[in-house]
Amino acid sequence: MTPSNVKISQRSAMLIERMRGEGMTNEQLLQAIEERSTEPLAGSATAAGINLDEWIDYAAEHGEQLADAIRAGYRMTFTTVPGAGNWLRFALGLGEGQHYTVPEEGRMDGLQLDEVQFQRIADAMAMNWVLVRQPDGSASLMLKSLQ
């Protein structure tokens, strides 16, 4: 299963990436989902602030395959402008002003990405975004309407 075949909400993607950023392993996330318990996520500030049952029920109701998303990667079904910036921060540790500029709403320029990061963004962002490699080697992430 490829990342683009597994569709999840922006909310689910953010929760996964925030917990990963706090040091949670994929195995811990999978165990928490399977058991519907935050116990495997002990110590996670994000997990402490979420209702795991509500998240899992929402995912099931909307056909999200959380376990597949954690194992194989995912594509967000829709990504908002603030969501794209938050995802870059949670998933890759990239922040506005430090790692990219925002010349206009819905556009992030100057991203210095290795091939793995580039592909991860390309795979995860919803289809309303496009990631473009610039002539200077940097990348730009843009809403499709701005390209």
Side-chain angles (χ1 to χ4, degrees), residues 85 88-90 92-96 99-100 111-113 117 121:
L88 289 173
R89 183 168 41 96
F90 295 139
L92 300 173
L94 302 175
E96 181 181 347
H99 302 100
Y100 61 89
L111 289 158
Q112 300 298 321
L113 307 170
Q117 292 170 317
I121 294 169

Side-chain angles (χ1 to χ4, degrees), residues 26-69:
N26 284 351
E27 291 74 26
Q28 288 171 299
L29 293 170
L30 291 167
Q31 183 181 357
I33 290 166
E34 181 179 306
E35 295 174 4
R36 287 182 168 249
S37 168
T38 57
E39 194 171 313
L41 307 175
S44 166
T46 300
I50 66 166
N51 179 326
L52 196 61
D53 282 332
E54 179 185 303
W55 178 39
I56 293 170
D57 289 344
Y58 172 89
E61 181 181 323
H62 292 87
E64 293 184 358
Q65 301 298 319
L66 294 177
D68 290 340

